[in-house]
Amino acid sequence: GWIRLSPDGSRIRFTVAISAVGVSALWEARADGGNPHLLLSPDWNNPPQECCGNWTSDGQYFVFQSTRDGLSSLWVLADQNPFWRKATSEPVQLTTGPMNFGSPLPSRDSKKLFAQGWQARAEMVRYDAKSGAFLPFLGDTAAAQVDFSHDGKLAAYVRYTDGTLWRSKLDGSDRLQLTYPPLQATTPHWSPDGTRVAF
């Protein structure tokens, strides 16, 4: 997806994604589809999580989104350099957290850059019928997709900020991280005997 033709019409760049494992990489090929290859070296971001690139209208730069440790940032890769300017083959980071940035789009005159910006936030709450208010639950966990063990003593949840799987007691104590990036967990469920979490 995200197929983009270079301003001179000679090449295409596109995103190849395997969404089941959260991996996506930028590729390049000639405009006729020949010579497809990775745009960046395989060890630049391992595993790769790049996407959504666009050329500036003058063809000098290629701006794209890269995700590292759960944070999406914008990067720029010099594409064509005049002979008097030192060329670099490594991307340069344009944005840093705590806000995520993605889907960059250079203006037609290549002087501005438009992008999406977002900051992930979540708080687990419970409804208290006596007070009629929502109260904090599981402490400061940024929990989402919570499932409770059958005995009601443990909770398994996905941390909203990075997609990792955790388990803890209902008061938020005895937290244990069960998965690590780049793996993205979703929809956890306890086994009937409470010894395993499927996700």
Side-chain angles (χ1 to χ4, degrees), residues 123-138 170:
E123 180 183 15
M124 185 74 169
V125 295
R126 66 175 177 82
Y127 181 72
D128 182 61
K130 287 183 181 179
S131 67
F134 289 98
L135 303 174
F137 186 66
L138 286 178
L170 297 188

Side-chain angles (χ1 to χ4, degrees), residues 73-116:
S73 301
L74 299 183
W75 293 72
V76 63
L77 179 65
D79 196 61
Q80 298 174 0
N81 288 285
F83 68 90
W84 65 85
R85 195 183 309 160
K86 184 179 179 183
T88 177
S89 60
E90 288 296 313
V92 175
Q93 190 169 0
L94 296 178
T95 63
T96 58
M99 184 173 280
N100 290 280
F101 288 95
S103 303
L105 179 64
S107 62
R108 289 184 182 177
D109 62 5
S110 300
K111 293 181 180 180
K112 295 178 184 171
L113 182 64
F114 301 94
Q116 294 177 353

Side-chain angles (χ1 to χ4, degrees), residues 128-174:
D128 182 61
K130 287 183 181 179
S131 67
F134 289 98
L135 303 174
F137 186 66
L138 286 178
D140 182 26
T141 60
Q145 304 181 41
V146 179
D147 189 52
F148 300 99
S149 61
H150 291 278
D151 63 8
K153 295 180 180 178
L154 297 172
Y157 58 89
V158 175
R159 195 165 73 174
Y160 182 73
T161 53
D162 62 5
T164 54
L165 180 65
W166 292 71
R167 76 105 176 104
S168 73
K169 291 183 178 177
L170 297 188
D171 63 2
S173 66
D174 197 23

